[in-house]
Amino acid sequence: MVDVHVHLNEPGRSEWEGFETGTAAAAAGGVTLAVDMPLNSSPVTTTLEALAAKRRAANGKLSMDVGFYSGLVPGSETSVAELIDAGALGIKAFLCHSGIDEFPAATERELRAAMPVLAERDKPLLVHAELVSPAPAMSNPRSYADYLATRPPKFEQDAIAMMIELCRETGCRTHIVHLADAGSLPLIRAARAEGLPLTVETCPHYLYFASETIPDGACQFKCAPPIRDSANRELLWQAFEAGDIDFIASDHSPCPPADKRLDEGRFDLAWGGISSIQLTLPIVWTLAKQRGIGLQRLAQWLSVAPARFIGRSAGIEVGNEANLVAFDTEATFTVHGNELLHRVMSQKFIEQFNSLPLAESNEKLLACCGSKWWSDQMIDARPHGSIDELHTAADDVFDRMPRDAWLEAIGSHPRIGDLESLKMKFAGNRQWSSGEQSGVSAADEQVLMRLKTGNDAYYDKFGYTFVVCATGKSASEMLQILESRLTNEPDAELQTAAAEQREITHLRIDKLAADYDH
């Protein structure tokens, strides 16, 4: 199986999903190659440096093969050629706000600049096709019908019509991701009959769910474009059988449960995304079998066509990679959340943490923040009701930390670039520190030497170790930050270092919870 639309989110938002957990779930579901989308990570993948950071973050964590797309945002259109030449398998653009402020919508100006370059290199532009215009406001934020009305089919139809015009004008391979609206199919059929290089995918959730069965307040169903009604779903299936839709992709997009706003049930506030990479094959096969569709068509939709889309061969043929999945076509099973391998920070972690013995609680908390004072205060604040409450308590304790406690926390960090001391000295959080400093491992000798010299100068001036939230930063970026902070006055620098420690601690709390779930 080949899934060409997956959000793995590393580096930077690994508490949402990461290479280790995401690819474990993919492999468990029969996926042997996935392509990671450029948003949701931090930094977003719109530069050569960010693409390199993605590769570093993936190193040693993959259960199967992963490729990468890069992104098109205002200002990045000049980088399209070099990103493709560096190995990006395509360029992703949103025609509306992505949900991530660092990944704003591309306008016609950026599209017209990028598409001829992609046409020249025969690489696809992948488009989130919604052109947002005034729509009814939600009178009841818990109502799925109200949410559905805020993203009407016209948004997709207008966007697809615009992209067909640009496809015709530029000759660029243009791909519509996660088609939800069957009313757009006549436009798509006409464009393809004209011979335009237009391809289309849809997702398991659009083929399985229907809006009339989604209860109010059930924000786990929120995605964009939204899940539409059962008549629309039937038309999508008919389009598949007619060959108007090319393949299926999961659009796997986890987030922390708190961001789904399940307690409030507010669709206007909830993050949009469905997490299904481990279940794509059983979902699609169950539905296809009910419709009398055989395994050959399934293999086309889940393997051959998506592989061809990114320029790879697929199928069982002499010379192809033997990435094979075997499954029992007659078996049935019930989905249980604790058997899914993608990353979710569950309530079970909080329940366990609240009941841990004192010594074990201290051990886990000191791996997040190396201050005994902070750890003691966090234990005294138990019980915590949720991950969010744990983060709030951490901030409350941070605001009361005395200078000595900050220095103790900062002193628990290895020096950036001093990889030997990282391996030998900091066993309690060695795995996390190594991942956070992965940018250093790819640095050249000159950068490492300057990091060592800068760390020594920093320690001589301030009396403690230089600390920075290093996730997603290259060695050169960390060196630049270090050298700029060497000019700070001592009081100002302690405030800066404390703020970095606060950010690191929050990331490690999420990693602690995520590691428990995995």
Side-chain angles (χ1 to χ4, degrees):
M1 289 175 60
V2 177
D3 191 336
V4 296
H5 190 151
V6 177
H7 296 271
L8 295 173
N9 299 2
E10 245 185 306
R13 287 189 176 88
S14 57
E15 72 275 14
W16 291 29
E17 179 63 289
F19 288 114
E20 185 175 357
T21 49
T23 63
V31 176
T32 62
L33 169 61
V35 189
D36 178 52
M37 284 291 175
L39 70 158
N40 294 7
S41 56
S42 182
V44 294
T45 318
T46 56
T47 65
L48 286 175
E49 293 77 14
L51 183 58
K54 275 275 187 189
R55 289 181 170 132
R56 290 194 299 269
N59 188 35
K61 298 179 182 177
L62 304 183
S63 297
M64 27 70 74
D65 293 336
V66 171
F68 302 105
Y69 299 123
S70 292
L72 180 66
V73 298
S76 75
E77 64 275 10
T78 59
S79 302
V80 167
E82 61 183 11
L83 286 162
I84 293 297
D85 292 345
L89 296 174
I91 300 293
K92 170 71 179 290
F94 273 74
L95 302 187
C96 59
H97 192 275
S98 70
I100 301 293
D101 289 338
E102 308 97 288
F103 204 102
T107 68
E108 277 199 58
R109 185 185 73 82
E110 291 83 47
L111 294 168
R112 289 181 184 278
M115 291 177 77
V117 178
L118 291 169
E120 186 177 290
R121 284 166 168 76
D122 192 30
K123 293 295 182 182
L125 175 74
L126 299 93
V127 184
H128 179 120
E130 287 184 290
L131 277 177
V132 175
S133 56
M138 293 185 70
S139 59
N140 177 6
R142 288 180 50 83
S143 165
Y144 185 79
D146 276 18
Y147 168 64
L148 187 60
T150 67
R151 298 188 92 105
K154 185 178 188 310
F155 285 9
E156 286 187 80
Q157 293 163 18
D158 288 349
I160 289 170
M162 184 182 87
M163 292 314 305
I164 288 171
E165 286 299 318
L166 290 172
C167 176
R168 181 182 295 116
E169 179 183 319
T170 63
C172 174
R173 289 174 55 198
T174 303
H175 181 69
I176 306 302
V177 302
H178 50 49
L179 178 73
D181 169 49
S184 300
L185 287 165
L187 287 169
I188 292 166
R189 289 189 190 102
R192 289 156 70 105
E194 187 183 331
L196 297 183
L198 182 72
T199 51
V200 185
E201 72 184 48
T202 194
C203 306
H205 39 281
Y206 299 126
L207 297 171
Y208 188 91
F209 297 118
S211 59
E212 58 264 38
T213 65
I214 297 176
D216 288 349
C219 295
Q220 61 266 41
F221 291 92
K222 181 179 177 180
C223 56
I227 296 163
R228 305 196 187 278
D229 63 22
S230 56
N232 182 87
R233 178 182 63 192
E234 176 61 25
L235 289 171
L236 290 178
W237 271 108
Q238 291 177 18
F240 252 123
E241 295 184 59
D244 297 320
I245 300 174
D246 295 274
F247 54 80
I248 297 170
S250 69
D251 191 11
H252 176 72
S253 185
C255 69
D259 290 349
K260 274 296 188 183
R261 307 289 182 137
L262 298 180
D263 292 341
E264 305 162 83
R266 291 191 55 163
F267 285 98
D268 58 332
L269 300 178
W271 176 262
I274 306 288
S275 307
S276 65
I277 195 167
Q278 190 171 335
L279 299 172
T280 296
L281 176 57
I283 290 169
V284 177
W285 172 239
T286 298
L287 299 172
K289 190 177 178 184
Q290 290 170 359
R291 301 179 69 91
I293 297 169
L295 286 172
Q296 284 188 324
R297 298 296 299 278
L298 198 74
Q300 182 70 24
W301 297 337
L302 295 178
S303 179
V304 176
R308 186 184 301 125
F309 173 72
I310 56 170
R312 304 298 174 91
S313 61
I316 304 173
E317 298 176 4
V318 173
N320 279 0
E321 291 185 15
N323 292 332
L324 308 179
V325 53
F327 72 105
D328 185 344
T329 59
E330 302 302 319
T332 62
F333 67 97
T334 301
V335 177
H336 297 287
N338 61 5
E339 295 173 358
L340 299 176
L341 301 183
H342 69 266
R343 178 155 286 171
V344 179
M345 290 176 289
S346 73
Q347 197 65 19
K348 290 181 181 178
F349 163 73
I350 289 296
E351 293 169 0
Q352 184 216 44
F353 176 76
N354 285 333
S355 61
L356 284 177
L358 185 63
E360 193 173 349
S361 299
N362 258 310
E363 179 186 354
K364 291 185 180 298
L365 288 169
L366 287 171
C368 299
C369 176
S371 163
K372 183 67 164 56
W373 188 92
W374 179 86
S375 172
D376 288 344
Q377 296 292 314
M378 290 293 290
I379 291 170
D380 288 346
R382 292 191 300 185
H384 303 282
S386 65
I387 296 287
D388 283 348
E389 286 187 22
L390 192 62
H391 282 294
T392 299
D395 279 334
D396 290 341
V397 175
F398 285 145
D399 292 339
R400 295 185 280 110
M401 281 178 79
R403 177 187 175 90
D404 287 349
W406 281 118
L407 292 175
E408 183 186 15
I410 293 166
S412 71
H413 288 273
R415 292 190 182 183
I416 299 287
D418 188 352
L419 300 184
E420 286 309 310
S421 68
L422 177 64
K423 294 174 183 175
M424 296 171 57
K425 187 177 177 182
F426 293 90
N429 58 15
R430 180 168 58 213
Q431 179 182 354
W432 292 345
S433 294
S434 298
E436 289 156 6
Q437 295 192 21
S438 61
V440 176
S441 62
D444 61 35
E445 188 172 343
Q446 184 180 7
V447 171
L448 286 177
M449 186 58 66
R450 286 176 62 187
L451 276 171
K452 183 180 185 308
T453 302
N455 270 280
D456 291 342
Y458 184 97
Y459 192 90
D460 289 343
K461 179 173 181 178
F462 298 114
Y464 50 84
T465 300
F466 169 71
V467 61
V468 62
C469 187
T471 300
K473 296 181 177 69
S474 68
S476 296
E477 290 171 321
M478 288 189 279
L479 177 62
Q480 184 178 7
I481 294 167
L482 168 59
E483 291 178 341
S484 69
R485 282 170 52 185
L486 275 169
T487 64
N488 287 346
E489 294 299 317
D491 287 346
E493 177 53 28
L494 182 58
Q495 292 295 317
T496 300
E500 294 288 335
Q501 174 61 53
R502 179 190 294 245
E503 184 176 354
I504 291 167
T505 301
H506 282 301
L507 285 173
R508 290 183 173 181
I509 288 171
D510 286 337
K511 288 176 180 178
L512 184 67
D515 286 350
Y516 171 83
D517 281 338
H518 181 50

